[in-house]
Amino acid sequence: MITTEPRMTNLFLQLGLDASAEGIARFIREHQLATDVEVVEATYWNDAQRQFLSESLQADAAWTTVVDELNEALHEEAVKAATGL
């Protein structure tokens, strides 16, 4: 049973990352991904982080929406570049 509400702050806590608003913004800014790199394939995750993200997406778990939001944020610059925005 999940006792932690799935939201970005709690996702970062779950991943062992700085969950402050500034820490989340900095992580997203500094870890942008190319359009052809899936969020779970990013080289900066450790095995436990990668497994959690992968299982969250595959199981359509409560965390799926938040992991999708992180995925979109990490691809924002690449999407902008690809679309000329």
Side-chain angles (χ1 to χ4, degrees):
M1 180 167 107
I2 294 177
T3 58
T4 304
E5 180 182 343
R7 59 180 196 208
M8 193 65 72
T9 303
N10 289 334
L11 174 61
F12 272 67
L13 289 172
Q14 185 73 28
L15 294 171
L17 302 171
D18 181 355
S20 68
E22 298 82 15
I24 292 170
R26 182 175 43 256
F27 182 89
I28 290 170
R29 185 177 58 251
E30 294 176 357
H31 292 88
Q32 289 291 298
L33 296 171
T35 55
D36 62 339
V37 178
E38 293 185 30
V39 68
V40 296
E41 295 174 348
T43 58
Y44 44 78
W45 302 125
N46 65 36
D47 290 340
Q49 292 167 324
R50 184 173 291 107
Q51 181 177 354
F52 177 78
L53 293 168
S54 180
E55 288 176 359
S56 294
L57 291 171
Q58 290 175 1
D60 198 25
W63 290 102
T64 301
T65 301
V66 182
V67 174
D68 281 340
E69 290 173 12
L70 177 61
N71 181 48
E72 288 178 21
L74 292 173
H75 285 96
E76 186 175 357
E77 294 300 319
V79 170
K80 283 181 182 177
T83 60
L85 297 177

